[in-house]
Amino acid sequence: MKAIEHIGIAVSDLEQSIALYTALLNTPCYKTEEVDSEQVTTAFFQKGDQKIELLASTNPEGTIAKFIEKKGQGIHHIAFAVTDIKAEVQRLKAEGFVFVSEEPKRGADNKWVVFMHPKSAGGVLVELCQEIMP
Ligand code: CO
């Protein structure tokens, strides 16, 4: 693992939250992107080397919609940048961590991503992400 790449925050109204985080961070949103596989629209803010990723559900049955239903808006996951996502999955599996899906998927902002099961990570949803090289 290299560093925290971003923190994912579940929001119910993307436009409102973009305005809120623009004011909070004093930085404009640099990108919004729909991720069909996750049924979300994402919005990104860069602050130093780290990012904030806002996640709004595009489907009332989607995981973000269900998360907000249960817990309300707020921090949803922490993402760590890795250089070799498959090797890191193998390393962490050997340490006893369980993944939601072990096969990296194409995520937002040009990344391969995998999610670890929160039950195996002390209640925190951990994402590993690796930049997709052109
Ligand atoms: Co993320």
Side-chain angles (χ1 to χ4, degrees):
M1 296 217 197
K2 292 197 291 185
I4 291 179
E5 211 277 338
H6 65 268
I7 294 178
I9 298 176
V11 304
S12 44
D13 183 321
L14 193 62
E15 291 312 309
Q16 256 183 31
S17 294
I18 287 174
L20 186 144
Y21 281 88
T22 299
L24 178 71
L25 302 170
N26 195 22
T27 294
C29 166
Y30 71 85
K31 173 193 242 183
T32 61
E33 184 182 350
E34 207 167 319
V35 184
D36 288 335
S37 60
E38 303 289 338
Q39 301 185 312
V40 291
T41 306
T42 58
F44 285 90
F45 296 83
Q46 181 92 40
K47 209 63 191 171
D49 290 336
Q50 281 75 41
K51 299 167 189 166
I52 296 289
E53 173 187 40
L54 304 182
L55 304 139
S57 192
T58 54
N59 177 342
E61 298 300 312
T63 54
I64 291 297
K66 285 185 178 154
F67 176 89
I68 291 174
E69 216 174 272
K70 264 198 247 168
K71 300 189 173 173
Q73 298 189 96
I75 293 180
H76 176 258
H77 64 269
I78 298 180
F80 293 94
V82 299
T83 41
D84 184 340
I85 197 165
K86 289 189 174 175
E88 200 61 22
V89 167
Q90 292 312 313
R91 182 186 75 81
L92 290 162
K93 271 179 65 185
E95 293 284 352
F97 292 99
V98 177
F99 285 82
V100 176
S101 156
E102 291 171 21
E103 198 51 43
K105 281 194 291 189
R106 196 174 271 270
D109 212 22
N110 197 42
K111 297 280 194 293
W112 294 114
V113 302
V114 288
F115 287 93
M116 198 180 280
H117 204 288
K119 274 183 189 153
S120 76
V124 177
L125 179 59
V126 172
E127 172 187 339
L128 306 181
C129 60
Q130 179 186 346
E131 191 89 26
I132 298 175
M133 295 301 170

